[in-house]
Amino acid sequence: MAGDALPSFGTARDLPAGIMPLTVQACEEEPEIDHARVRCGHSGCRVLCKKSYKLSSGLAFTTLQCDHSNGLLTIDGKPWTLQNITCLPYCGLDGCYNGGECIQPQVCECVHNYTGKHCEIPPENPASSEVTDDTGVPQQTPVTPDPMTCPDPDFPLVNAEITRSDEQLIVRCKAGHVFDIGGTIAFVHCREGVWDHPKGVFSTEGALVCQAPRCDPPCENGGTCLPEGVCDCPYKYWGSACQRMMCAYPDAKQLSNSSLGGVHSRMKIQCHPRHRMRSGRRWQTILCHQGHWTVSGRGPLTDNDVKCYPCLYHGLP
């Protein structure tokens, strides 16, 4: 390259000190998840729950990132498991009331004689029961009030709102806040006359608490932690914690006689028919590392790694 002109791709002097060429391991696992469609590529897998199923977070999809240092799929920076990626039947925004369980899409299994699509209809409780005395004359005996009924809630609320539905409370976090266990909607059930305190919804002091979302690991490079516990990355950054920097799209002027395809972490340069690179190769895979394109095992990428030239002899495809 003549003079002091910089190459269109990064060179060794562009890389930060200590950066070494990458050794990349592909993620070969293709997860099988019930009630979900999974599509995988070089950078990871996208999990999309089928219609009327959702993840425990309330979302219908998530992404498993490929950790190319060990070839393992991860979520939020940790190895994925079936326990943290499960598509559950969905019974609407409020779910099933009064201790009911969503067993199939839009189907609640009710308990304690509750009925209705969402177990919202309480059992009939007649005001009195009929008995007879020794003469056979019917008498009315008052029914004792149910001691299992919970009082109106008086919990301290922190960034949360409560709606009561019979013996169940629907708790919703205010915008921009989540429970400690994640999510923005929780249910508090009445158990033998006492409101249950689900872990991760109530504080140790007995308050219903919604807080600013937390991402683990924390978002880097100006990323914003969303209520779902995932990072929303600014332009040029990606990864579970926005820890990876995207590479600039290669200069089209330097890719004459070739085509380019791939994703922001990995691309393939393919020479046109009857063209070769200086190395004699017809194609080359390039990898993005900390904002710079590299060739696996060889280090920083230069123009000579990707330029395609007409072949000087015949007989080549």
Side-chain angles (χ1 to χ4, degrees):
M1 186 168 294
D4 295 329
L6 291 176
S8 57
F9 296 98
T11 63
R13 61 184 173 183
D14 295 318
L15 284 177
I19 296 295
M20 300 298 292
L22 291 176
T23 300
V24 176
Q25 295 188 41
C27 292
E28 298 181 355
E29 180 183 10
E30 294 188 4
E32 294 184 3
I33 300 174
D34 290 341
H35 312 298
R37 294 187 293 273
V38 182
R39 293 184 178 180
C40 297
H42 176 75
S43 59
C45 297
R46 179 181 173 87
V47 180
L48 177 63
C49 292
K50 294 181 179 179
K51 184 179 180 180
S52 297
Y53 286 86
K54 289 186 181 295
L55 299 167
S56 58
S57 64
L59 297 177
F61 67 92
T62 189
T63 299
L64 304 179
Q65 297 284 349
C66 177
D67 185 344
H68 291 293
S69 65
N70 54 27
L72 298 178
L73 292 172
T74 64
I75 181 169
D76 297 334
K78 301 175 183 178
W80 87 281
T81 65
L82 284 174
Q83 284 68 37
N84 54 27
I85 300 292
T86 303
C87 290
L88 304 172
Y90 183 66
C91 287
L93 183 62
D94 293 336
C96 304
Y97 296 157
N98 303 302
E101 180 183 359
C102 187
I103 57 174
Q104 295 180 26
Q106 304 301 331
V107 177
C108 290
E109 184 177 62
C110 304
V111 296
H112 306 307
N113 296 321
Y114 280 86
T115 57
K117 183 177 180 181
H118 296 280
C119 308
E120 73 278 14
I121 303 175
E124 294 184 4
N125 187 18
S128 61
S129 59
E130 187 177 89
V131 297
T132 58
D133 60 12
D134 293 339
T135 64
V137 177
Q139 295 182 343
Q140 298 293 325
T141 302
V143 176
T144 304
D146 186 2
M148 298 293 103
T149 299
C150 286
D152 288 335
D154 58 356
F155 318 123
L157 300 179
V158 180
N159 299 313
E161 299 174 342
I162 285 181
T163 302
R164 179 167 183 169
S165 175
D166 296 316
E167 298 306 294
Q168 179 174 258
L169 302 179
I170 305 169
V171 187
R172 291 183 175 88
C173 289
K174 293 184 178 179
H177 296 80
V178 296
F179 295 111
D180 184 58
I181 57 173
T184 58
I185 298 178
F187 298 92
V188 179
H189 300 282
C190 181
R191 311 287 187 188
E192 299 182 353
V194 178
W195 292 112
D196 190 14
H197 284 203
K199 183 179 179 181
V201 175
F202 283 84
S203 68
T204 54
E205 294 78 19
L208 273 166
V209 178
C210 294
Q211 59 193 8
R214 291 183 298 178
C215 289
D216 184 19
C219 305
E220 302 176 14
N221 299 306
T224 302
C225 187
L226 299 178
E228 295 80 14
V230 297
C231 294
D232 182 19
C233 301
Y235 177 64
K236 290 189 177 180
Y237 291 94
W238 65 287
S240 60
C242 307
Q243 76 278 18
R244 299 180 179 178
M245 184 177 181
M246 295 174 60
C247 293
Y249 196 81
D251 186 355
K253 294 180 180 179
Q254 303 298 328
L255 294 176
S256 58
N257 303 318
S258 63
S259 56
L260 177 70
V263 295
H264 52 67
S265 62
R266 177 189 180 102
M267 289 192 174
K268 180 180 179 180
I269 299 172
Q270 177 78 48
C271 289
H272 291 169
R274 300 185 181 279
H275 289 77
R276 292 288 190 279
M277 298 175 181
R278 287 194 181 277
S279 63
R281 295 173 58 94
R282 296 180 57 187
W283 58 270
Q284 178 66 62
T285 299
I286 58 177
L287 309 172
C288 181
H289 181 56
Q290 297 297 344
H292 299 272
W293 290 110
T294 64
V295 179
S296 180
R298 297 217 321 260
L301 192 67
T302 66
D303 283 344
N304 285 335
D305 290 316
V306 296
K307 280 188 175 180
C308 296
Y309 302 90
C311 297
L312 300 180
Y313 54 94
H314 301 288
L316 291 177

